[in-house]
Every structure is written in C-alpha cells, then in structure tokens.
Amino acid sequence: MSRTRVGILNVTGYAGAELARLLADHPLVDLVSVTGRSAAGQKLGQVFPHLAPLDLAIEAELGQVDFIFSALPHHESAERLLPFIEKGVPAVDLSADFRLKDAALYDEWYAFRHPAPQLLADAVYGLPELNRAEIQSARLVANPGCYPTASILALAPALKAGIVTGGIIVDAKSGISGAGRALKLASHFCEADEDVCAYAIAAHRHQPEIFQALKAIDGAMPALTFTPHLTPMTRGILATCYARLNGELTAEEAVRLYAGFYAGEPFVRVVPEPPHTKHASGSNACLVNAAVDRRAGMLIVTAAIDNLVKGAAGQAIQNMNLMLGYPETTGLPRLARFP
C-alpha cells in the first residue's frame, strides 16, 4: 500500500498542531507540507517545540499533496480549499464552512455569504458513527465541531429509537483550548482561572449544526436549547443532555439501548458512571452514560470527549482513514492520558 502525502492548511492553531502530532505516528501517511501565514518561513519546531522532530518548514502555500486537512478559520477555509477541491484533491475541513446544508444559515449564524454554496450538498458530515458509508465515498468531509460531536453522540440512540419527545436541552462545558489560540480577554489565565460561565446563550454557532444532525435522525426533531459554558481546564468537552421520555423506560433499558447502538464502534464507549473529561483526555474516545430520572420522566445522557482529538484532529484523521480505505482506527489513540 503506497503512502499518502498529507498537508495541513494552518498548522499554527491548536487543531492544526494536534493534527501534526497525531499524523506523526500514522503508519500509512507522510505529513509533507504545512502552512501558517503568521509563521511562514519558520521551522515548525520554532513555533511548537514539541513538533520539532517532524523537521518541517511552515510555508505560505501548500506544496504537492494527495490529501488536505484545513484547520483555517471559518469563511477563509472554504475560500482556500476551493481550488484544491476543484482539482479533485480529497479534503477534511475542520472549520464550520461545509457543515451546514443551507447556505442562508451562514449569513444568519456566521455573518458571511458562503463562497461555494454549490458544494454544500455534496459535503459529507464527518461523524463516522452515523455517516460511515457516506464518508467512505466522499471527497469533501465537514469535520463536526467539538460541542456537536459530544451532543449528537449523546442523543442519537434515543432519537433513533423514538423514545423522547418535547424540547431537548444540551448543557455543555468546554476547556479553554476550544476558544482557539488567538488572544482573547476571556481566555487569559487571570480571567478564566477559578471561574465558570455560560456564554452565547441561545446564539452559539454550533446550535444549528447540532439541530441539523439530529433532525436527520428524526425528522420530527423537537426544539433544541443549547447552552455552552467555559471552564478553567485546557482540554475537554462534557455535554449533559436532557430529553423528556414519551413512555416508561428503566435505567437498565436505557443502558441496553445505548450499548446496542454503539456495539462495535471503536471509539464510543458506553460507561456505567457519568464520565469525567479527564477519562477521555488525549484519546479519540467518546464516553457516554445514559441515566433515567423516572420521577421527572427524563432521559439524562452525559458524553465526554477531548475537544482537540475526537472533537477536532482525531476525528479528522478517523475520517481520512475512512476516505482512503485505511483501517478506521489507524494512528489514533484510544486510551486516555492520566493524570
């Protein structure tokens, strides 16, 4: 099997750097080209000393590659990827630029007019646990956001089984790396340490993405309320999801439902206790716990992921493996780092 030459657009963000780290240990690909306009001309090891063994220079433009990851910001990513897509180079986009099917939603939620709306219908939403077959034949995959990955995996089995009704509430917490590497007042140590806060209430850009994916499972998808919180940790997403049951369900039945839905999935584990973010840190795992509040008639599902791995770079590589016909788990960590 010939090795694949891989490139990263924008290696200088957290997701791009994590991609480089994980690709370094992938046995079937070679990372040959990385870009980063603010650091063009520097060695990768100068910007990220932990990546010095890769011995790559950061370039202004991508070199000759067989496969592309784009870790550029939204809007810019679609514009930079378009020439490569037109040449037929397969790509995974880690921005939001190809996640939403309705181009008008980009005006509403991202405040820009999509530069390539004709590609939205063909882009495959890259959540392997739900769209594996479509990803395998795709040339352009939209890598899900970190909050959506945890939220959708938490709720998909219940919606598929038709056991919930009414409005769904997703209460989610993120580590600070989810805000990106650019300097922001809210992510300064003195501002974020020893503090937890909700933000973008009823206005977070991941809300339409979560709703779209869940509606694809259940066309009668009820209303969704999504509230994110910033927490003083570097990595991690914890999504706690609440949905009203439309009938009697025991905790044991809920566990069996979830275990059956994710049976055979290499990266989703149904766990007996509510997961901690640290239990997934550094891995491509999503840990899911299903519980029932019988007094309130509610299903309560918690899901934990590492926002930079299963929520970004790891899932992107999982998608690449599927697109290139490699074993899905190749080069991906399934065990968390601890402590």
Side-chain angles (χ1 to χ4, degrees):
M1 185 181 291
S2 61
R3 298 175 67 84
T4 301
R5 297 171 302 169
V6 173
I8 300 172
L9 290 169
N10 192 33
V11 75
T12 52
Y14 289 137
E18 191 74 342
L19 269 169
R21 182 181 75 87
L22 295 174
L23 288 168
D25 291 327
H26 198 292
L28 300 176
V29 308
D30 292 315
L31 180 60
V32 299
S33 182
V34 297
T35 74
R37 288 180 180 174
S38 63
Q42 297 184 58
K43 297 288 285 186
L44 184 57
Q46 291 176 267
V47 180
F48 294 111
H50 71 293
L51 299 178
L54 291 175
D55 195 27
L56 284 170
I58 300 173
E59 304 165 292
E61 301 295 335
L62 209 58
Q64 286 292 115
V65 296
D66 306 311
F67 194 97
I68 296 174
F69 294 99
S70 176
L72 287 161
H74 65 267
H75 192 197
E76 185 180 355
S77 189
E79 291 181 340
R80 291 284 301 280
L81 271 177
L82 190 55
F84 296 100
I85 294 169
E86 290 173 342
K87 292 176 184 176
V89 181
V92 173
D93 180 25
L94 280 77
S95 83
D97 283 1
F98 296 100
R99 295 175 189 163
L100 304 177
K101 294 301 182 183
D102 183 352
L105 290 174
Y106 287 96
D107 289 296
E108 179 181 352
W109 290 90
Y110 289 88
F112 75 87
R113 180 160 295 179
H114 201 284
Q118 72 278 9
L119 295 176
L120 296 178
D122 294 330
V124 174
Y125 190 65
L127 197 60
E129 292 76 14
L130 300 184
N131 300 326
R132 184 170 284 108
E134 294 87 347
I135 294 166
Q136 288 172 325
S137 59
R139 301 291 290 177
L140 172 61
V141 165
N143 213 58
C146 50
Y147 279 129
T149 293
S151 305
I152 296 163
L153 292 176
L155 291 164
L159 286 170
K160 188 72 173 178
I163 63 170
V164 295
T165 186
I168 289 175
I169 296 172
V170 176
D171 180 298
K173 279 82 175 174
S174 173
I176 297 170
S177 61
R181 195 164 178 243
L183 295 177
K184 305 178 185 71
L185 181 62
S187 57
H188 285 192
F189 178 82
C190 290
E191 302 285 336
D193 189 42
E194 298 187 46
D195 185 58
V196 177
C197 66
Y199 66 99
I201 295 175
H204 195 280
R205 291 164 171 172
H206 283 170
Q207 181 155 335
E209 180 184 341
I210 298 169
F211 185 84
Q212 174 184 269
L214 296 178
K215 189 172 178 60
I217 299 170
D218 181 356
M221 168 67 189
L224 172 74
T225 299
F226 169 64
T227 304
H229 299 73
L230 186 68
T231 64
M233 60 185 179
T234 299
R235 292 174 180 248
I237 294 280
L238 182 70
T240 304
C241 307
Y242 304 85
R244 187 162 298 283
L245 293 164
N246 58 18
E248 290 292 322
L249 186 76
T250 67
E252 293 76 14
E253 289 169 335
V255 171
R256 284 198 297 272
L257 170 65
Y258 272 73
F261 190 91
Y262 288 121
E265 287 295 341
F267 294 113
V268 180
R269 287 167 41 208
V270 179
V271 294
E273 299 292 336
H276 297 218
T277 54
K278 189 167 280 191
H279 296 169
S281 182
S283 78
N284 199 51
C286 177
L287 310 179
V288 179
N289 172 263
V292 172
D293 183 341
R294 299 189 69 180
R295 296 179 183 85
M298 298 291 289
L299 177 71
I300 304 172
V301 186
T302 51
I305 63 171
D306 184 320
N307 59 293
L308 294 179
V309 189
K310 183 60 172 170
Q315 185 148 258
I317 293 171
Q318 188 179 354
N319 283 318
M320 178 197 71
N321 287 339
L322 289 167
M323 294 168 75
L324 297 178
Y326 298 154
E328 188 173 339
T329 59
T330 306
L332 290 171
R334 283 190 275 185
L335 297 180
R337 58 184 191 179
F338 189 87

